[in-house]
Amino acid sequence: MLAAFGVERRMGLRCLVWLGGRLADYKAPLIAPDFDRHVPVGCFPALWTRMARALPPHDLAVLENQPVLLGLAANPFIELGGHEAPDSGYVFALPATWEEFAARNRPETRRMDRSKERRLAEQGALHFRIAATPEEAVCMAEDILERKAGQLRAQGIASIFEEPHYRAAYRALAELAPERRLLEVAELTLDGEFLSGSIAHVWHGRTTLMVHTYENSFAKFSPGRIHLLKLIKTSMEAGVSLYDLSVGYAPYKESFCQTPMPLYNYVAAAKPWGLAAAGAERARFGLKRAIKANDRLMGLLRAARAMLGRK
């Protein structure tokens, strides 16, 4: 097992955290395929006690957004307990054929999808494409990131897409040669004009949607959903078995994944003086979870963010 930890300062105390911060939707170790043979179910808490003692000095542990599954294997850190995180992950298995996948939706949903794509195609030449060369990937990725940053800015949400160093990281990944490709960059256009774009990470039979944005002026035709359906079909044709819409609720995610994967936060004091801080962290997570579970409160929060974003 490889567990990438760091120690950072929070409230003046040394806090053990997963590396990755706000850049990592899922925070967890890398484990060997036969991990459970070496550490049977139920034995990890005892191992963790020994690990925690061997780690650099820290006053409390705050291990956030831990998925219950690592691929198809159980995440051993879930055995430590904790509380469900405010957000869930939207991961679902892909069947062997497109017909099987389409059958998951109600007939009226399928009819509506076909109708919207047909009506959109009546407006002009509708074209979906995945970047075939590093040059195309870089050009498309930069445009998508700029649009996504603007979309979030309008909602009053600060994002990494505003920061040059993170843009440079995406560019470096997009520039990888085809045989080393990790990113799938795609766009949907109408008469050559942008409708929707996405950047996904593809690795070992799993596609993770990292960035997705669409043009609001065509929202009534659901270009983002049309784009996503084409992405999923392409992934199935490439032999991908798991599709990950990443962390955080959105209505469109529920239409594809009816059973979200819970994430867990583990908060524990490592020293007596970390007890108060651990309690404060649990309260913060609890408040965040309560707000996200309440549509009215979330609506007010989004409205306030958008108002601040316009100032």
Side-chain angles (χ1 to χ4, degrees):
M1 178 176 70
L2 176 63
F5 292 124
V7 176
E8 65 181 26
R9 287 280 173 178
R10 291 191 187 182
M11 297 173 281
L13 299 176
R14 298 165 299 182
C15 184
L16 182 74
V17 298
W18 287 110
L19 293 182
R22 62 187 178 131
L23 299 183
D25 284 335
Y26 302 113
K27 300 179 176 68
L30 299 175
I31 61 172
D34 61 348
F35 180 85
D36 59 352
R37 183 168 66 83
H38 297 282
V39 185
V41 174
C43 294
F44 185 74
L47 176 61
W48 172 246
T49 300
R50 294 168 59 194
M51 288 173 61
R53 288 174 185 156
L55 287 168
H58 56 281
D59 304 311
L60 72 158
V62 181
L63 306 181
E64 303 177 46
N65 287 359
Q66 302 180 114
V68 296
L69 293 175
L70 305 178
L72 299 176
N75 181 356
F77 276 81
I78 302 303
E79 292 184 23
L80 301 180
H83 296 89
E84 197 165 328
D87 291 308
S88 299
Y90 289 78
V91 186
F92 52 94
L94 295 178
T97 67
W98 176 252
E99 289 70 24
E100 289 178 79
F101 178 80
R104 293 178 179 180
N105 292 315
R106 294 178 300 177
E108 52 266 37
T109 301
R110 299 199 296 271
R111 283 195 298 270
M112 188 176 295
D113 287 337
R114 290 193 296 269
S115 172
K116 286 185 176 181
E117 183 171 356
R118 184 175 62 253
R119 288 162 55 203
L120 190 56
E122 289 169 356
Q123 309 295 312
L126 188 65
H127 183 56
F128 172 79
R129 72 186 180 108
I130 294 174
T133 66
E135 292 75 21
E136 278 187 323
V138 168
C139 183
M140 288 166 61
E142 288 184 338
D143 181 49
I144 290 166
L145 293 174
E146 181 61 36
R147 291 174 184 276
K148 187 65 175 181
Q151 181 186 47
L152 294 173
R153 194 185 310 123
Q155 297 173 30
I157 300 174
S159 73
I160 62 171
F161 308 121
E162 303 275 7
E163 302 176 36
H165 295 303
Y166 298 126
R167 293 276 193 100
Y170 272 99
R171 181 186 180 92
L173 288 171
E175 286 177 335
L176 290 175
E179 65 271 15
R180 299 179 58 211
R181 189 179 75 167
L182 294 174
L183 297 187
E184 180 185 74
V185 187
E187 68 176 10
L188 183 70
T189 59
L190 184 67
D191 286 339
E193 295 297 318
F194 181 92
L195 281 182
S196 178
S198 64
I199 302 174
H201 176 264
V202 183
W203 181 251
H204 285 191
R206 182 187 185 118
T207 297
T208 301
L209 190 63
M210 299 166 65
V211 185
H212 187 204
T213 186
Y214 63 88
E215 178 56 51
N216 280 319
S217 58
F218 285 88
K220 66 180 180 180
F221 297 112
S222 303
R225 181 175 174 84
I226 293 171
H227 179 107
L228 186 52
L229 286 168
K230 293 182 181 297
L231 277 178
I232 292 173
K233 187 174 184 180
T234 300
S235 290
M236 293 175 64
E237 291 169 349
V240 170
S241 57
L242 283 176
Y243 209 94
D244 186 350
L245 296 177
S246 195
V247 174
Y249 171 78
Y252 80 90
K253 292 184 181 183
E254 274 199 342
S255 69
F256 290 97
C257 176
Q258 287 80 31
T259 310
M261 176 179 65
L263 309 179
Y264 281 84
N265 295 336
Y266 171 74
V267 182
K271 298 287 191 295
W273 48 88
L275 287 168
E281 285 290 279
R282 292 192 195 99
R284 179 173 70 86
F285 289 136
L287 178 61
K288 190 175 179 180
R289 187 167 57 248
I291 291 173
K292 291 202 169 189
N294 187 302
D295 291 340
R296 184 170 180 273
L297 290 177
M298 276 304 297
L300 291 172
L301 180 60
R302 291 192 187 100
R305 280 175 173 171
M307 189 179 299
L308 290 172
R310 288 194 291 268
K311 290 183 178 180

